[in-house]
Amino acid sequence: LCDRIESLPVPVIAAINGIAAGGGLELALACHLRVASSSAAFSVPEIKLGLIPGYGGTQRLTRELGAGPALEMILTGRSMTSDEALKFGLVNRVVQPSELMSEATSLAEEISELSPLSIRACLQAVIKGLELPLNEGLKLETELFSSLFETEDAREGTAAFLEKRKPVFKGL
């Protein structure tokens, strides 16, 4: 499930309220963006059960936080507050619990106004690029960048910029 979420061609935004522990955190890590309430907490407590995170936690958490902070969480089972999660880049935004869904929805709406083709290419470049050596990731980025030049969305985006108006993208 986590791999399927991560590979979706549209952004998936997690809205996290409360405790995201173990599989819950791993599910959130599979999402492209994460918005948390100020009362959220994050942990991978499997070490306390004689286990390790088994749904991508050792890999995705390390890629999000870096080895040091991820290993500390994984090896101690310690929880991280939403403010710490924001500081380390685990979440994109922290809001009051009453604002969580409207903030996540607002972020989704902001992204939905942009070119679907560009969004898809960005997700592919970042997600697939992480699996590649840098030179191959850069090649993928160049190929995706070049493929967008002939699209109607690219022409519309350029025209809107020059005409100082908001673009209307159609995904073509």
Side-chain angles (χ1 to χ4, degrees):
L1 176 63
C2 291
D3 290 344
R4 289 185 74 191
I5 290 170
E6 184 178 62
S7 65
L8 286 171
V10 295
V12 178
I13 301 170
I16 305 155
N17 192 20
I19 298 171
L25 175 55
E26 290 169 302
L27 182 61
L29 285 166
C31 297
H32 303 110
L33 300 169
R34 290 170 289 281
V35 179
S37 75
S38 57
S39 62
F42 306 86
S43 69
V44 279
E46 290 88 346
I47 194 93
K48 294 178 180 181
L49 303 173
L51 300 169
I52 67 169
Y55 298 102
T58 64
Q59 300 305 301
R60 288 187 179 99
L61 187 63
T62 302
R63 283 170 171 78
E64 290 294 325
L65 303 182
L71 276 169
E72 183 175 344
M73 283 184 74
I74 293 166
L75 293 174
T76 65
R78 180 182 87 72
S79 289
M80 181 181 281
T81 67
S82 58
D83 287 336
E84 289 172 312
L86 182 63
K87 174 183 160 192
F88 283 105
L90 180 58
V91 298
N92 302 90
R93 301 175 184 187
V94 174
V95 297
Q96 293 302 310
S98 62
E99 300 169 6
L100 180 62
M101 291 311 294
S102 63
E103 185 71 15
T105 301
S106 175
L107 180 58
E109 288 170 350
E110 179 182 348
I111 293 168
S112 73
E113 293 177 3
L114 303 171
S115 167
L117 300 174
S118 295
I119 292 167
R120 205 169 300 133
C122 285
L123 288 171
Q124 186 178 358
V126 171
I127 302 301
K128 297 246 187 261
L130 282 171
E131 300 170 2
L132 302 171
L134 178 60
N135 64 331
E136 291 179 38
L138 291 170
K139 182 179 176 191
L140 173 62
E141 177 184 86
T142 299
E143 290 168 1
L144 292 165
F145 177 78
S146 298
S147 73
L148 294 171
F149 271 102
E150 297 302 319
T151 66
E152 286 184 34
D153 278 2
R155 286 189 288 279
E156 167 62 13
T158 302
F161 174 78
L162 293 173
E163 296 167 10
K164 296 183 171 78
R165 62 173 172 81
K166 187 176 175 182
V168 178
F169 295 113
K170 297 179 182 170
L172 302 171

